[in-house]
Amino acid sequence: MMLQFEVDKEYPRPQFYRQSWMSLNGVWEFRFDDESEGERAGWHKDVPGDRRIIVPFTYETKASGIGEEKFHPVVWYERDLEIPGEWIGKRIRLNFQASDYLTKVWVNGTAVGRHEGGYTAFSFDITEALREEGANKLTVRVEDSNSCNIPRGKQRWVPENFGCWYVQTTGIWQSVWLEAVEPQYIDSVKMTPDADKGTIKFEYDVRGSELAEGLSLKTRVTFKGAFIRELQQTVDRAQTSVEMDLLSENVGEWKSAHLWSPERPNLYEVEFTLLRNGAPVDHVQSYFGVRKISIQNAQVLLNGTPLYQRLLLDQGYWKDSHLTAPSADALIEDIDKAMAFGYNGVRKHQKVEDARFLYWCDRKGLLVWSEMPAAYEFNDDAVQRFTREWMDAVRQNYNHPSIVTWVPFNESWGVGSIARDYKQQQFTVAIYHLTKAFDAMRPVIVNDGWEHTVSDIITLHDYEERGEAFAAWYADKDAIFDKAFNRSKFAMAGDYAYKGQPILISEYGGIAFNSEEGWGYGNQVKTEEQFIERFRSITTAIKQLPYACGFCYTQITDVQQEVNGLMNIDREPKIDPQIIKAINLA
């Protein structure tokens, strides 16, 4: 069977697809709980809802049907569940793609789970709490805060927007859905390609395996529908693994794997079938890409070839739905428009993006830098919360070939004294090595913009307006590590030294048209001609730096008070994309 993901374009987790699923997006009962009295008052049994909300949009957004931007620390949701008759006897899993920040869930008044974190997915088995007949009641309580100890990214922690911080996101903000599985099922599969060997390693996590004998797992790989290989193995414990040879005589003149790249985003289809005594009990459809990211001679290489990255800063905000994409089509539109401007990648800034976005980047060949939303305090609580959520994000998004770089820290946010503070330096070093322990194949940047400790790539942020001034400042590669570039920050933290890593200008530009409301970087321009001239000047200067291996322009769209996008918040280009593309590709 070939993958048919486009049939289920809104499926929340397209890289791990089951057919037996049901969306819970839509109208829910809703209530604010500013005094946090709901649990004591028994709202988990019956929420006295005084309004309705459209999930998965948060109450702060117009798309939710509420559109109130005032901060409320606790919110409640409730809706009825009707379990399909064909699901009777199966395990029912309740999935949240993201809910900010502390989420507690009850079914028919019975607690089924809690999750801490605002940007990662989580699931609960709700089977035992379901009634055998009739409707079920699903209740959700979400507690958020203005604490800067939690990873919050671009969410403000004061009553009004300021600088580049925007309206907060409270509660459920990505899809909620059910799926039905048998008592034995495949919980996850980690897929690690080896482009040099032409292999793929599968690491499986099978739940319920201790409850059954006679389990086996069949893995079948195809490429554009053509059979590649199939393996079957006995499952006698929860975690097991296998390595599969992808080399095929049918590939071409030489035996090799089909490699993934922006120019050729080749994807293998893979089906996982769990069998008990030969009968299927679980079936998951997925895919993977085979590609190699490496660093050599101060260059980033993709499949052994130098990769010049033309990135676009992408914060993933929409006017009426904020961090939540209005639809899968909206995600696809952003990808297509980024590529139409001549960019081959995006730096997903301060957001762990919707899994559907990553799926379409995989399919279309758009590179992604995956960046963790920042906390803004440094203490033991912040360190623990950040570490847990970051590793959840890395694990959940590991299989996407489009992700080519991990970015746990940005501009010393949350580690404001990293230049001299040993503990803050060691925190970033620890995150670097912890990330590498789970993912040895991708570069890790610590910390993007300046004051790096250990880092596979050195990235610099500079909003100089004129190409001539930029070229003069960066003419001497060695000198940029001896002076406070950006006029205030050093490239390296403390005693950490440059060790020949690739260098990339990962923020620049931010040009805004003259406006009484909102801001951009530097002087605003009045005409399209002024915009194009300035864009050409600074972009050309960066491209002519012999040691720079790429750039990231700020940014794809306007975001609330920040009006420095190539498009406005409605995705209408301010400048003809072909003009920008011609400059980028010149």
PDB file of all heavy atoms in Angstrom, residues 440-455:
ATOM      1  N   ALA A 440      23.428  12.264  16.802  1.00  0.00           N
ATOM      2  CA  ALA A 440      24.818  12.503  16.431  1.00  0.00           C
ATOM      3  C   ALA A 440      24.969  13.007  15.013  1.00  0.00           C
ATOM      4  O   ALA A 440      26.070  13.369  14.590  1.00  0.00           O
ATOM      5  CB  ALA A 440      25.627  11.218  16.606  1.00  0.00           C
ATOM      6  N   MET A 441      23.862  13.066  14.236  1.00  0.00           N
ATOM      7  CA  MET A 441      24.009  13.347  12.808  1.00  0.00           C
ATOM      8  C   MET A 441      23.749  14.796  12.429  1.00  0.00           C
ATOM      9  O   MET A 441      24.001  15.176  11.286  1.00  0.00           O
ATOM     10  CB  MET A 441      23.094  12.433  11.993  1.00  0.00           C
ATOM     11  CG  MET A 441      21.611  12.647  12.186  1.00  0.00           C
ATOM     12  SD  MET A 441      20.633  11.527  11.144  1.00  0.00           S
ATOM     13  CE  MET A 441      18.969  11.940  11.649  1.00  0.00           C
ATOM     14  N   ARG A 442      23.245  15.629  13.337  1.00  0.00           N
ATOM     15  CA  ARG A 442      22.955  17.018  12.982  1.00  0.00           C
ATOM     16  C   ARG A 442      23.851  17.981  13.748  1.00  0.00           C
ATOM     17  O   ARG A 442      24.178  17.752  14.910  1.00  0.00           O
ATOM     18  CB  ARG A 442      21.499  17.368  13.300  1.00  0.00           C
ATOM     19  CG  ARG A 442      20.465  16.701  12.410  1.00  0.00           C
ATOM     20  CD  ARG A 442      19.075  17.179  12.796  1.00  0.00           C
ATOM     21  NE  ARG A 442      18.023  16.629  11.948  1.00  0.00           N
ATOM     22  CZ  ARG A 442      17.336  15.522  12.210  1.00  0.00           C
ATOM     23  NH1 ARG A 442      17.619  14.822  13.306  1.00  0.00           N
ATOM     24  NH2 ARG A 442      16.388  15.107  11.389  1.00  0.00           N
ATOM     25  N   PRO A 443      24.191  19.122  13.125  1.00  0.00           N
ATOM     26  CA  PRO A 443      24.898  20.174  13.848  1.00  0.00           C
ATOM     27  C   PRO A 443      24.010  20.774  14.931  1.00  0.00           C
ATOM     28  O   PRO A 443      22.779  20.827  14.789  1.00  0.00           O
ATOM     29  CB  PRO A 443      25.219  21.217  12.772  1.00  0.00           C
ATOM     30  CG  PRO A 443      24.990  20.541  11.472  1.00  0.00           C
ATOM     31  CD  PRO A 443      23.993  19.468  11.712  1.00  0.00           C
ATOM     32  N   VAL A 444      24.645  21.241  15.998  1.00  0.00           N
ATOM     33  CA  VAL A 444      23.964  21.945  17.088  1.00  0.00           C
ATOM     34  C   VAL A 444      24.623  23.302  17.257  1.00  0.00           C
ATOM     35  O   VAL A 444      25.854  23.403  17.319  1.00  0.00           O
ATOM     36  CB  VAL A 444      24.039  21.147  18.401  1.00  0.00           C
ATOM     37  CG1 VAL A 444      23.350  21.910  19.539  1.00  0.00           C
ATOM     38  CG2 VAL A 444      23.421  19.768  18.236  1.00  0.00           C
ATOM     39  N   ILE A 445      23.805  24.351  17.311  1.00  0.00           N
ATOM     40  CA  ILE A 445      24.313  25.718  17.466  1.00  0.00           C
ATOM     41  C   ILE A 445      24.053  26.200  18.888  1.00  0.00           C
ATOM     42  O   ILE A 445      22.915  26.230  19.348  1.00  0.00           O
ATOM     43  CB  ILE A 445      23.649  26.676  16.463  1.00  0.00           C
ATOM     44  CG1 ILE A 445      24.038  26.302  15.035  1.00  0.00           C
ATOM     45  CG2 ILE A 445      24.024  28.124  16.754  1.00  0.00           C
ATOM     46  CD1 ILE A 445      23.317  27.099  13.971  1.00  0.00           C
ATOM     47  N   VAL A 446      25.108  26.586  19.573  1.00  0.00           N
ATOM     48  CA  VAL A 446      25.016  27.113  20.941  1.00  0.00           C
ATOM     49  C   VAL A 446      25.962  28.309  21.026  1.00  0.00           C
ATOM     50  O   VAL A 446      27.165  28.138  20.989  1.00  0.00           O
ATOM     51  CB  VAL A 446      25.461  26.051  21.965  1.00  0.00           C
ATOM     52  CG1 VAL A 446      25.374  26.620  23.366  1.00  0.00           C
ATOM     53  CG2 VAL A 446      24.644  24.778  21.858  1.00  0.00           C
ATOM     54  N   ASN A 447      25.484  29.531  21.175  1.00  0.00           N
ATOM     55  CA  ASN A 447      24.109  29.964  21.186  1.00  0.00           C
ATOM     56  C   ASN A 447      23.944  30.935  20.031  1.00  0.00           C
ATOM     57  O   ASN A 447      24.808  31.758  19.796  1.00  0.00           O
ATOM     58  CB  ASN A 447      23.831  30.522  22.610  1.00  0.00           C
ATOM     59  CG  ASN A 447      23.711  31.987  22.831  1.00  0.00           C
ATOM     60  OD1 ASN A 447      22.708  32.534  22.442  1.00  0.00           O
ATOM     61  ND2 ASN A 447      24.665  32.658  23.483  1.00  0.00           N
ATOM     62  N   ASP A 448      22.838  30.850  19.281  1.00  0.00           N
ATOM     63  CA  ASP A 448      22.734  31.526  17.998  1.00  0.00           C
ATOM     64  C   ASP A 448      22.846  33.042  18.137  1.00  0.00           C
ATOM     65  O   ASP A 448      22.119  33.658  18.914  1.00  0.00           O
ATOM     66  CB  ASP A 448      21.387  31.172  17.343  1.00  0.00           C
ATOM     67  CG  ASP A 448      21.360  31.540  15.875  1.00  0.00           C
ATOM     68  OD1 ASP A 448      21.791  30.714  15.053  1.00  0.00           O
ATOM     69  OD2 ASP A 448      20.926  32.654  15.551  1.00  0.00           O
ATOM     70  N   GLY A 449      23.758  33.622  17.363  1.00  0.00           N
ATOM     71  CA  GLY A 449      23.884  35.079  17.337  1.00  0.00           C
ATOM     72  C   GLY A 449      25.184  35.606  17.886  1.00  0.00           C
ATOM     73  O   GLY A 449      25.805  36.488  17.290  1.00  0.00           O
ATOM     74  N   TRP A 450      25.599  35.088  19.044  1.00  0.00           N
ATOM     75  CA  TRP A 450      26.832  35.567  19.684  1.00  0.00           C
ATOM     76  C   TRP A 450      27.109  34.736  20.938  1.00  0.00           C
ATOM     77  O   TRP A 450      26.338  33.851  21.296  1.00  0.00           O
ATOM     78  CB  TRP A 450      26.733  37.050  20.047  1.00  0.00           C
ATOM     79  CG  TRP A 450      25.479  37.471  20.790  1.00  0.00           C
ATOM     80  CD1 TRP A 450      25.110  37.112  22.055  1.00  0.00           C
ATOM     81  CD2 TRP A 450      24.457  38.349  20.310  1.00  0.00           C
ATOM     82  NE1 TRP A 450      23.917  37.707  22.394  1.00  0.00           N
ATOM     83  CE2 TRP A 450      23.495  38.475  21.352  1.00  0.00           C
ATOM     84  CE3 TRP A 450      24.258  39.047  19.116  1.00  0.00           C
ATOM     85  CZ2 TRP A 450      22.355  39.272  21.220  1.00  0.00           C
ATOM     86  CZ3 TRP A 450      23.120  39.835  18.992  1.00  0.00           C
ATOM     87  CH2 TRP A 450      22.184  39.943  20.039  1.00  0.00           C
ATOM     88  N   GLU A 451      28.223  35.011  21.587  1.00  0.00           N
ATOM     89  CA  GLU A 451      28.598  34.391  22.863  1.00  0.00           C
ATOM     90  C   GLU A 451      28.453  32.869  22.837  1.00  0.00           C
ATOM     91  O   GLU A 451      27.858  32.251  23.710  1.00  0.00           O
ATOM     92  CB  GLU A 451      27.779  35.002  24.003  1.00  0.00           C
ATOM     93  CG  GLU A 451      28.058  36.495  24.170  1.00  0.00           C
ATOM     94  CD  GLU A 451      27.221  37.159  25.246  1.00  0.00           C
ATOM     95  OE1 GLU A 451      26.088  36.702  25.525  1.00  0.00           O
ATOM     96  OE2 GLU A 451      27.684  38.167  25.812  1.00  0.00           O
ATOM     97  N   HIS A 452      29.039  32.254  21.811  1.00  0.00           N
ATOM     98  CA  HIS A 452      29.014  30.798  21.697  1.00  0.00           C
ATOM     99  C   HIS A 452      29.952  30.154  22.712  1.00  0.00           C
ATOM    100  O   HIS A 452      31.012  30.692  23.035  1.00  0.00           O
ATOM    101  CB  HIS A 452      29.461  30.370  20.293  1.00  0.00           C
ATOM    102  CG  HIS A 452      28.573  30.871  19.194  1.00  0.00           C
ATOM    103  ND1 HIS A 452      27.457  30.191  18.768  1.00  0.00           N
ATOM    104  CD2 HIS A 452      28.639  31.989  18.426  1.00  0.00           C
ATOM    105  CE1 HIS A 452      26.877  30.862  17.790  1.00  0.00           C
ATOM    106  NE2 HIS A 452      27.571  31.953  17.562  1.00  0.00           N
ATOM    107  N   THR A 453      29.562  28.968  23.174  1.00  0.00           N
ATOM    108  CA  THR A 453      30.479  28.139  23.964  1.00  0.00           C
ATOM    109  C   THR A 453      30.980  27.036  23.025  1.00  0.00           C
ATOM    110  O   THR A 453      31.834  27.279  22.204  1.00  0.00           O
ATOM    111  CB  THR A 453      29.775  27.581  25.212  1.00  0.00           C
ATOM    112  OG1 THR A 453      28.543  26.932  24.831  1.00  0.00           O
ATOM    113  CG2 THR A 453      29.471  28.694  26.198  1.00  0.00           C
ATOM    114  N   VAL A 454      30.434  25.829  23.131  1.00  0.00           N
ATOM    115  CA  VAL A 454      30.700  24.812  22.109  1.00  0.00           C
ATOM    116  C   VAL A 454      29.592  24.934  21.071  1.00  0.00           C
ATOM    117  O   VAL A 454      28.422  25.105  21.405  1.00  0.00           O
ATOM    118  CB  VAL A 454      30.740  23.398  22.712  1.00  0.00           C
ATOM    119  CG1 VAL A 454      31.913  23.257  23.645  1.00  0.00           C
ATOM    120  CG2 VAL A 454      29.448  23.059  23.420  1.00  0.00           C
ATOM    121  N   SER A 455      29.953  24.842  19.817  1.00  0.00           N
ATOM    122  CA  SER A 455      28.962  24.999  18.757  1.00  0.00           C
ATOM    123  C   SER A 455      29.537  24.463  17.464  1.00  0.00           C
ATOM    124  O   SER A 455      30.699  24.726  17.144  1.00  0.00           O
ATOM    125  CB  SER A 455      28.576  26.475  18.588  1.00  0.00           C
ATOM    126  OG  SER A 455      27.481  26.625  17.726  1.00  0.00           O
TER     127      SER A 455
END
